[in-house]
Amino acid sequence: MDIKDFVDFLNREIPLNYACDWDNSGLQVGHMGKEIHRVYIALDATEEVVYDAAVQRCDFLLTHHPLLFKGIKQVTGDTSIGRKLYMLIGNDVACYSAHTNFDAMPGGMGELAGALLQLGCCSPLEDMSGHLEDPWGIGVAGNLRQPLTLMEFADYVKQIFSLKQVNIFSAHSPEKKISRVAVCPGSGRSMLNEVIASQADVFLTGDIGHHEGIDCVDMGISVIDAGHFGLEKIFVPIMADKIRRAFPELEIVTARPTSPFTVY
């Protein structure tokens, strides 16, 4: 199989037209005629991931977050992006990202996270579709199967997403039950208006700052910050399974599910 066929598959499964205007999803590095045999899947194209993909003789690196986000004026070994580009091109490893198109498309990141939590009556947190039938967009809002206290829900989140800890901004008393949940995997700090409109009791996301957290509490909404990595890491096993089913002849290598930071 060559890269063109594989990229065509990715573009069909995760259409680029679902991506936000500011995003840079799609093929970042590579030429369409190269044959591929081994695909490496990771959340981020870190130097460790790029090095590992090269060492394991992978032909194609698939990430959620784009390697190239903004314009660059130099490619040198003095910068992280320069070193990664040198390593990818020098080892003939293509790189492709499926970012906000994976987040926003029907059945994408938000819906997948909601399904793991077994939320019912779901709708997009930020509807980007512009129509009532088959709406799609960033995040999801839905109802728990049964009401839980905030701490019970936090334990449930840790169990479902295999997390050691989460950060909590609590707007609810210990005994009060919650039932409606807004979920935005990744960074949800810009989604507060959508969370309020969803009438959620609790907002599950990552990258919440001090001010956004206390603003939510003032509005009567608790926040569980599971980290940017904590919720979006589901991208790796989901894409690995999708590719294995479509192309059993390809070898799949997945990055270790390691958080980029350590809690000390």
Side-chain angles (χ1 to χ4, degrees):
M1 174 185 298
D2 58 32
I3 285 179
K4 183 182 184 306
D5 291 335
F6 191 59
V7 165
D8 286 346
F9 163 77
L10 292 173
N11 290 344
R12 288 194 304 272
E13 292 293 308
I14 316 168
L16 292 172
N17 60 290
Y18 287 111
C20 296
D21 293 340
W22 50 263
D23 195 17
N24 187 34
S25 290
L27 188 66
Q28 314 268 292
V29 176
H31 56 91
M32 291 296 193
K34 175 182 166 58
E35 285 193 2
I36 60 172
H37 304 278
R38 304 191 83 193
V39 176
Y40 194 108
I41 306 174
L43 190 66
D44 296 281
T46 63
E47 288 194 52
E48 180 183 3
V49 161
V50 171
Y51 177 79
D52 196 30
V55 167
Q56 297 208 47
R57 298 183 182 278
C58 294
D59 311 292
F60 196 100
L61 170 60
L62 171 62
T63 67
H64 179 49
H65 297 127
L67 170 70
L68 301 174
F69 229 136
K70 299 178 181 179
I72 57 173
K73 295 184 178 181
Q74 294 175 316
V75 179
T76 71
D78 296 328
T79 66
S80 174
I81 188 66
R83 290 190 294 272
K84 288 187 283 191
L85 287 171
Y86 265 118
M87 200 176 305
L88 288 167
I89 295 169
N91 290 277
D92 206 7
V93 182
C95 183
Y96 182 105
S97 75
H99 189 211
T100 55
N101 49 327
F102 184 83
D103 290 335
M105 73 176 194
M109 186 78 82
E111 287 189 32
L112 291 165
L116 287 171
L117 293 166
Q118 299 185 38
L119 299 182
C121 301
C122 289
S123 59
L125 185 57
E126 180 186 4
D127 188 350
M128 299 166 60
S129 65
H131 52 76
L132 296 177
E133 294 184 8
D134 301 321
W136 53 268
I138 301 290
V140 70
N143 300 327
L144 292 170
R145 289 188 303 166
Q146 62 181 30
L148 300 171
T149 67
L150 181 61
M151 290 307 185
E152 287 172 340
F153 180 62
D155 285 336
Y156 181 53
V157 168
K158 288 163 64 178
Q159 174 190 345
I160 294 297
F161 291 95
S162 301
L163 303 172
K164 292 183 178 180
Q165 73 169 48
V166 294
N167 295 325
I168 299 173
F169 290 86
S170 178
H172 296 91
S173 60
E175 69 279 358
K176 183 175 176 59
K177 300 283 187 176
I178 60 172
S179 59
R180 186 152 178 83
V181 179
V183 185
C184 180
S187 178
R189 65 171 57 196
S190 65
M191 303 282 288
L192 300 192
N193 289 336
E194 288 81 4
V195 173
I196 293 168
S198 75
Q199 300 184 318
D201 302 310
V202 60
F203 182 29
L204 173 61
T205 188
D207 293 352
I208 285 292
H210 171 81
H211 298 289
E212 294 88 2
I214 61 176
D215 285 347
C216 281
V217 170
D218 285 345
M219 296 297 296
I221 302 168
S222 294
V223 178
I224 296 179
D225 187 332
H228 200 122
F229 172 84
L231 301 181
E232 288 198 327
K233 64 183 179 181
I234 62 175
F235 172 84
V236 175
I238 286 168
M239 288 307 304
D241 182 65
K242 185 185 291 287
I243 294 168
R244 285 191 182 105
R245 290 174 181 272
F247 305 106
E249 71 276 16
L250 288 178
E251 294 183 61
I252 305 298
V253 179
T254 57
R256 292 177 299 164
T258 305
S259 175
F261 62 86
T262 301
V263 178
Y264 179 69

